[in-house]
Amino acid sequence: MDLSKCKIIKLPKIADKRGNLTFIEENRHLPFEIKRVYYTYDVPGGETRGGHAHKNLHQLIIAMSGSFDVVLGDGHNKKRFHLNRAYFGLYVPSMIWRELDNFSSGSVCLVLVSEHYNEEDYIRDYNIYKKTLVENK
Ligand code: TYD
């Protein structure tokens, strides 16, 4: 898996004088079925989250409120994405290393996931991640 598969997906935005509405339909706006949704909030300033890759699952990461950065890596290259709009999602396929930082105060990070929670799907050690990339080549 390489970084070129990671992309910003622009979601529909219905705007009128009452405010904005965004919707997401599985297999239409994102390339997987949603089996799980989780969100992080009340992240203290300066804190970092993530620091892992997933063997199989895919995700879409959205800054529902406020902003934060997602740094994605494929073992060779790294790219920093700044998320600050509720109508942009960052698609992250499997075997991509991710770190989240630069959380603004009150930010909410929503994640749509292709699989149920399973700790076995995590690779939390960067050296093991690099080794797995070589083995999967
Ligand atoms: P973790 O994946 O390390 O969070 P982040 O990616 O934001 O750094 O998860 C933190 C803890 O929460 C860890 O003990 C696993 C647990 N957890 C669940 O039980 N279910 C979930 O859906 C998620 C994402 C995490």
Side-chain angles (χ1 to χ4, degrees):
M1 191 52 74
D2 66 89
L3 273 184
S4 64
K5 304 278 189 318
C6 305
K7 57 181 179 191
I8 295 282
I9 295 176
K10 190 170 186 199
L11 300 164
K13 181 171 108 175
I14 316 285
D16 64 38
K17 63 179 188 327
R18 300 168 301 164
N20 299 330
L21 181 153
T22 286
F23 60 95
I24 305 166
E25 294 176 354
E26 62 183 12
N27 288 327
R28 187 165 171 211
H29 302 116
L30 71 178
F32 58 83
E33 290 182 7
I34 302 163
K35 286 210 181 143
R36 175 164 53 106
V37 176
Y38 72 89
Y39 36 96
T40 53
Y41 48 96
D42 293 344
V43 176
E47 199 52 78
T48 300
R49 299 205 60 114
H52 59 257
H54 286 283
K55 294 175 195 164
N56 290 308
L57 67 74
H58 302 218
Q59 298 184 318
L60 189 77
I61 303 177
I62 304 171
M64 287 308 268
S65 184
S67 65
F68 51 83
D69 290 356
V70 185
V71 181
L72 299 181
D74 59 9
H76 301 286
N77 298 303
K78 281 193 172 184
K79 192 169 174 188
R80 179 175 287 271
F81 295 85
H82 181 63
L83 297 183
N84 63 352
R85 293 282 181 267
Y87 56 89
F88 281 132
L90 176 60
Y91 172 64
V92 184
S94 56
M95 288 308 288
I96 294 289
W97 191 265
R98 92 283 320 275
E99 269 151 22
L100 289 81
D101 61 16
N102 202 18
F103 288 89
S104 71
S105 137
S107 60
V108 178
C109 169
L110 178 79
V111 188
L112 309 178
V113 194
S114 67
E115 303 298 333
H116 292 160
Y117 172 72
N118 176 9
E119 188 59 36
E120 301 275 288
D121 191 61
Y122 281 76
I123 303 176
R124 293 188 184 273
D125 180 310
Y126 195 72
N127 291 326
I128 294 174
Y129 168 67
K130 294 272 280 182
K131 210 169 134 221
T132 309
L133 286 176
V134 173
E135 285 165 3
N136 289 353
K137 250 192 183 167

